[in-house]
Amino acid sequence: MKKLFVSVLGLLASMGAVAQPDDLNCYTVIAGKDATVDGSVMMAHNEDDGGEQLLNYYMVPSQSYQKGDVYQLRNGGKESQVSVTNKYLWIELPGMDVADSFLNDKGVAVVSNACPSREDKEDYTDGGILYDLRRLIAERATSAKDAVRLIGRLVDKYGYASSGRSYCVADANEGWIVSIVQGKHWVAVRIPDDMVMVIPNYYVINEVNLTDTVNFMGSPDIIDYAVKRGWYNPKKDGDFNFAKVYSKEDAYNNSRNIDRKWRGLTKLASGDFDSENYEAFPFTVKPKQKVTLNTLMNLLSDHYEGTEIDCVRKSEDGNPHTAYWRTICTNTTQYAVVFQLRKDMPVEIGALAWIAPYHPCTQVFVPWYIGMETLPEGYSRYVSYQEAQEKHFTDTTGYREKYPTHKYWEAVKVADRADKQYSIFIEPIKSKNLMKQYELIKAQPAFEQEMINLLAQDKAKCVQALTDYTQKVLSE
């Protein structure tokens, strides 16, 4: 059963009277390798951020670094004098602390979702850690589990300098979610191989069993601390539920979060998920059918079409992005990405990011392979990734004026035009995009086999061919 959530705040938001909270953005799905049609681990993510943004792509090569540099905590803190970072694809929104996504050449991908916590005490060392966390994962992590351990060590040592967040990490073998509370508390859970997890912008981890070291990690006092703060009483409250105990209340019971979680569960799994009983939402579900790339791409583009809260139908101007229900594809979605991570082929080809810029409902997801070394022109504001790193927090205004030829504006133009008369324009746009998406996915096996053969013969030619392929797709 689906209850229609309507609130004064939501109604005012639909009329433009109030802004939607910045910490109730983003959406992520992880599908285990036995839950997908091709045996890959898939991780899908919508990155939602308000204001004018500019999406950039950089391929950052491996680099040497010296022991003693800030945040050097790999291998349990015992490092050699000189180490080498991973090469990685950096998907960047300038000026943002927690909006970038990464895929490295070990096949490890990382994204995140804001999850406001109830913690009201700061516990930081050297100012805590925030922006650097995911970049360090990209640079250092050799697996998803390694990424979880790295996150834990960094949070334990420095403290997390934000209310709360869940990092989702995945490789070709497994996916994990790491939920962090402001300060020095965190918990991580492995997604079962045959299951799918959906997270909007609240904590979704329920059970915590740190004695099960295969599937859980976290702060040893995660329960004791909650008892100490008066958030959890084992005698009165029953079994410990991390999400319920640690969430900020207005995030945990927020209708937009509940609706987006409900929509993901109903699209992916069988069963009657009752949003009136949202506390009973499962952490993971078994999909009703094996998950495909199209399954996740369609979900990231969703406006609740065909439901009682269909945002195309309900919005007065025909634009689903202005409906007062918080959709999955929203007016603040800056990019959507589906990571496809496979173990039975070379990582250069087996690990890739399918990326749709701006609103995915109006775009085609294009493959970007980690085997690429140079990237197509026009998709980054700087030629140099070093300049992008140096100016990430300084060159943060006037993007249209300073970078008018950037390819991102083409995607923005299409989406903005569609939004003006969405019900009229969306069908021809979707029809064209669906056909192109179908052809891309259909051609993938043959193209990749060709690349695997070429990689064995001439790596340099394979690397260039991967770039040429993405450039060709982007140009069509």
Side-chain angles (χ1 to χ4, degrees):
M1 178 182 177
K2 180 71 183 79
K3 178 182 178 181
L4 182 63
F5 283 93
V6 182
S7 68
V8 174
L9 176 62
L11 183 58
L12 290 173
S14 70
M15 299 168 61
V18 295
Q20 297 174 4
D22 290 338
D23 57 1
L24 293 180
N25 301 322
C26 301
Y27 192 81
T28 302
V29 179
I30 297 178
K33 59 188 176 184
D34 294 338
T36 63
V37 72
D38 64 350
S40 66
V41 174
M42 294 186 188
M43 182 164 69
H45 178 74
N46 272 2
E47 181 58 41
D48 301 317
D49 299 281
E52 183 183 75
Q53 303 290 342
L54 180 62
L55 178 65
N56 300 281
Y57 310 74
Y58 297 96
M59 191 65 77
V60 181
S62 60
Q63 303 163 73
S64 297
Y65 64 90
Q66 296 291 325
K67 180 181 178 182
D69 287 354
V70 67
Y71 300 136
Q72 308 300 303
L73 296 173
R74 266 191 81 186
N75 302 320
K78 298 177 182 178
E79 297 203 48
S80 57
Q81 190 65 30
V82 178
S83 294
V84 178
T85 63
N86 302 315
K87 164 190 167 185
Y88 59 89
L89 173 65
W90 173 24
I91 307 169
E92 183 218 20
L93 292 181
M96 305 299 289
D97 277 317
V98 286
D100 298 351
S101 298
F102 296 87
L103 171 65
N104 71 23
D105 63 354
K106 301 301 186 293
V108 180
V110 58
V111 299
S112 79
N113 297 56
C115 296
S117 79
R118 67 191 303 173
E119 179 61 86
D120 56 2
K121 294 184 178 180
E122 295 183 354
D123 185 7
Y124 307 144
T125 300
D126 297 333
I129 188 168
L130 185 61
Y131 173 70
D132 295 288
L133 187 55
R134 73 188 66 203
R135 180 170 155 185
L136 287 164
I137 293 168
E139 290 180 349
R140 315 294 159 79
T142 57
S143 68
K145 185 170 288 186
D146 186 38
V148 175
R149 291 172 179 146
L150 177 59
I151 291 171
R153 291 196 295 270
L154 291 166
V155 171
D156 287 344
K157 182 167 184 178
Y158 296 101
Y160 194 66
S162 183
S163 174
R165 181 160 289 270
S166 290
Y167 288 83
C168 293
V169 293
D171 62 19
N173 289 302
E174 58 187 2
W176 285 77
I177 179 171
V178 188
S179 291
I180 307 172
V181 181
Q182 177 175 265
K184 298 181 178 180
H185 287 94
W186 63 281
V187 65
V189 183
R190 182 182 183 276
I191 310 305
D193 292 340
D194 62 344
M195 304 291 271
V196 179
M197 181 214 67
V198 177
I199 177 171
N201 291 107
Y202 59 13
Y203 296 129
V204 295
I205 295 172
N206 298 322
E207 175 194 2
V208 175
N209 180 9
L210 296 182
T211 63
D212 177 2
T213 57
V214 173
N215 297 300
F216 292 85
M217 288 187 249
S219 303
D221 67 339
I222 194 72
I223 297 177
D224 292 342
Y225 181 75
V227 172
K228 179 181 177 181
R229 292 298 307 274
W231 301 337
Y232 173 60
N233 184 327
K235 293 182 179 179
K236 293 173 59 178
D237 300 332
D239 293 339
F240 179 76
N241 181 323
F242 171 81
K244 185 176 182 180
V245 170
Y246 273 90
S247 289
K248 188 176 181 182
E249 186 176 1
D250 61 4
Y252 187 62
N253 61 19
N254 184 277
S255 63
R256 287 190 292 261
N257 275 333
I258 294 166
D259 283 347
R260 288 184 294 152
K261 175 79 171 182
W262 170 85
R263 181 59 164 166
L265 294 176
T266 56
K267 290 274 283 186
L268 294 168
S270 300
D272 184 12
F273 300 98
D274 185 358
S275 59
E276 293 186 47
N277 188 23
Y278 60 89
E279 291 185 7
F281 281 167
F283 170 57
T284 59
V285 291
K286 185 166 289 189
K288 53 191 170 186
Q289 296 177 323
K290 293 280 189 175
V291 173
T292 67
L293 288 169
N294 277 325
T295 303
L296 297 178
M297 292 170 181
N298 290 339
L299 181 57
L300 294 184
S301 305
D302 191 72
H303 302 124
Y304 307 147
E305 289 92 342
T307 73
E308 63 190 69
I309 53 171
D310 185 327
C311 290
V312 179
R313 181 166 53 84
K314 292 290 185 179
S315 54
E316 291 184 5
D317 61 358
N319 175 4
H321 299 128
T322 59
Y324 62 82
W325 297 282
R326 185 65 161 181
T327 53
I328 294 172
C329 174
T330 80
N331 65 320
T332 61
T333 301
Q334 304 298 334
Y335 67 87
V337 57
V338 179
F339 294 100
Q340 185 183 18
L341 310 170
R342 296 159 294 174
K343 62 181 179 180
D344 295 327
M345 58 179 66
V347 69
E348 292 90 345
I349 298 148
L352 70 155
W354 294 82
I355 305 173
Y358 207 49
H359 301 165
C361 64
T362 60
Q363 299 297 318
V364 172
F365 286 78
V366 173
W368 297 70
Y369 287 86
I370 193 59
M372 302 161 70
E373 290 186 359
T374 58
L375 300 182
E377 294 183 1
Y379 293 87
S380 55
R381 58 181 181 157
Y382 306 125
V383 174
S384 161
Y385 74 87
Q386 294 99 327
E387 186 173 9
Q389 291 176 341
E390 292 169 2
K391 296 182 178 178
H392 178 77
F393 287 114
T394 56
D395 185 2
T396 58
T397 59
Y399 298 138
R400 285 182 182 269
E401 292 74 20
K402 286 186 273 189
Y403 310 105
T405 62
H406 198 293
K407 296 293 186 180
Y408 187 56
W409 305 127
E410 295 178 7
V412 173
K413 182 179 180 181
V414 170
D416 287 351
R417 184 172 65 244
D419 278 352
K420 290 178 181 178
Q421 288 184 291
Y422 190 87
S423 59
I424 296 174
F425 288 121
I426 193 58
E427 287 309 317
I429 291 173
K430 275 191 172 182
S431 295
K432 179 181 177 181
N433 288 349
L434 285 173
M435 181 59 68
K436 185 174 181 180
Q437 198 75 69
Y438 170 80
E439 294 297 336
L440 274 176
I441 295 173
K442 181 181 177 182
Q444 184 185 15
F447 169 73
E448 290 181 344
Q449 187 58 57
E450 180 184 349
M451 291 299 99
I452 290 170
N453 296 338
L454 185 58
L455 180 66
Q457 299 167 10
D458 191 324
K459 182 176 181 179
K461 286 186 178 180
C462 176
V463 165
Q464 186 58 51
L466 291 171
T467 300
D468 292 344
Y469 181 72
T470 296
Q471 178 66 74
K472 178 176 178 291
V473 172
L474 290 166
S475 301
E476 290 176 345

